[in-house]
Amino acid sequence: MDETAPQGGSLRTDTVLRYLQRVRDARCVGCGAGVCGHEAVMSLVMGFQGSPRCLPCLAVGLGRLRHEFRDHVFAYIDHHECLRAGWDEASRTEGFDPAPPPACLWAAGAEATPVSDDDRDHQEREPPQQPAATAQWDAGDIGCGDLVLELRMRLHAMRPGDVLRLTARDPGAPEDLPAWCRLTGHALVSSRHPEYWIKRKEG
């Protein structure tokens, strides 16, 4: 997954940049508003690769406060080189300095709120018994946007409270999956890489 792509970027970074080109000038599937490049990267993180959404629709759809959701997703993006490369490309394309948070989503001078260390290390807290799984999925080495896209669709097809036993061998999964579950509201009830038990959220 760390193969080198043309121009010296990682294969993942190249995929994110091509995704941004593909969805340029896209409209939000929720409200029809224009989706900026930063919102497109957020949509990719949340598993809406084929149907980007604006920040308000992403937050409302997940039952989160807009600013809290924005800051948590940005913290996730900032810790992934491929996603950060896409974020910075969106800033350049839209005329923003890549260093500060872009004014299209933040008021001038506002800063993103970092995710706490306590929030990041929750994957280490593991219950002693594994829950019974309603369904199983072996994702193999799938990583980055493709994993969460398929995961979102599989959980959507399940009933609230059902548990998916996921096998994900991608080396980024121990960090990516707990963060994604926090963002979406699904519960990571247990994990021991490469196995993860994810409970579909209510509603």
Side-chain angles (χ1 to χ4, degrees), residues 58-153:
L58 282 171
V60 169
L62 295 166
R64 301 286 296 276
L65 295 174
R66 184 188 308 183
H67 297 120
E68 175 190 87
F69 173 76
R70 175 203 64 194
D71 290 351
H72 277 78
V73 177
F74 174 75
Y76 180 87
I77 290 169
D78 198 36
H79 284 82
H80 291 75
E81 182 180 351
C82 58
L83 296 171
R84 184 62 204 231
W87 185 269
D88 290 345
E89 177 62 22
S91 291
R92 283 189 289 270
T93 301
E94 296 166 24
F96 297 113
D97 183 345
C104 56
L105 301 181
W106 275 267
E111 295 183 357
T113 302
V115 178
S116 68
D117 290 338
D118 288 340
D119 199 28
R120 287 200 190 98
D121 71 0
H122 86 285
Q123 65 263 40
E124 298 177 4
R125 302 182 214 124
E126 181 177 307
Q129 296 182 349
Q130 311 298 354
T134 310
Q136 299 186 38
W137 175 40
D138 186 343
D141 296 325
I142 298 174
C144 205
D146 291 333
L147 175 62
V148 296
L149 172 63
E150 179 68 21
L151 179 58
R152 181 183 65 82
M153 292 190 295

Side-chain angles (χ1 to χ4, degrees), residues 21-54:
Q21 292 177 349
R22 190 171 70 250
V23 299
R24 184 173 295 172
D25 301 323
R27 312 296 295 185
C28 174
V29 299
C31 67
V35 174
C36 74
H38 304 96
E39 290 170 319
V41 176
M42 288 182 167
S43 295
L44 179 63
V45 168
M46 302 312 300
F48 296 106
Q49 183 173 344
S51 53
R53 289 157 165 76
C54 66

